[in-house]
Amino acid sequence: MLNSWLLILLLMIMAVGFGAVSVLLSRVLGPRNPTAEKIAPYECGMPAVGDARERQSIKFYLIAMIFLLFDIEVAFLYPWALAMRTLSWPGLIQIVVFFLILVVGYVYIWRKGVLNWGPEFDPDYKHAPKPGPALVKRYRYGTRN
């Protein structure tokens, strides 16, 4: 019993040691010629525009919460799938009820317009342009510029 715990402790020490040695080696052996471009934060290949503290649309946060809810649903689905044979009919009924509740929630957010993106659905945006490449330049996602 104690031997198995020692192996887990050894694995943790090796993992932390590998990370620490990698960071130290890159610090010691790596080149040190920083430029303004190298020091700038990476923003998905797009140049950083504006202040980091600008207001964002609430739609971003709503979609993030909805994603988490449906992601957790999948996390509950895996254990159920593994225990499906032992759960039998009661387990099937439980998962059907679970999915029906999720479908009702999905239809609710769909009908409320949470999944509608873009300026043509934003009530605060006046004179929404037609969708196209110029749309990205005119309407930065989530801002009212």
Side-chain angles (χ1 to χ4, degrees):
M1 177 74 173
L2 187 59
N3 190 21
S4 61
W5 285 106
L6 287 175
L7 290 174
I8 292 174
L9 180 66
L10 178 66
L11 178 67
M12 286 185 193
I13 291 171
M14 287 175 53
V16 170
F18 177 75
V21 168
S22 298
V23 169
L24 288 175
L25 279 177
S26 68
R27 175 80 64 181
V28 171
L29 299 176
R32 291 185 191 90
N33 52 352
T35 62
E37 197 169 319
K38 289 180 183 178
I39 295 174
Y42 181 71
E43 294 289 336
C44 302
M46 310 262 312
V49 178
D51 184 23
R53 305 286 184 251
E54 68 184 16
R55 295 180 60 175
Q56 298 291 325
S57 174
I58 191 69
K59 289 182 180 184
F60 288 106
Y61 303 108
L62 290 175
I63 292 296
M65 287 189 288
I66 292 166
F67 171 75
L68 284 174
L69 286 174
F70 285 102
D71 189 43
I72 290 170
E73 166 222 338
V74 172
F76 283 130
L77 189 61
Y78 281 128
W80 173 82
L82 292 175
M84 186 175 74
R85 291 181 194 252
T86 57
L87 293 176
S88 184
W89 285 104
L92 179 66
I93 292 170
Q94 289 173 359
I95 203 69
V96 167
V97 168
F98 179 67
F99 271 110
L100 285 175
I101 292 169
L102 284 173
V103 167
V104 167
Y106 180 72
V107 169
Y108 175 76
I109 63 171
W110 183 25
R111 299 285 289 165
K112 281 292 199 182
V114 173
L115 302 177
N116 294 334
W117 280 84
E120 62 268 10
F121 298 107
D122 191 354
D124 296 332
Y125 188 76
K126 306 290 186 243
H127 309 293
K130 293 182 181 178
L135 180 68
V136 175
K137 293 179 185 174
R138 289 189 203 164
Y139 186 79
R140 291 186 329 202
Y141 296 105
T143 60
R144 295 183 183 108
N145 294 348

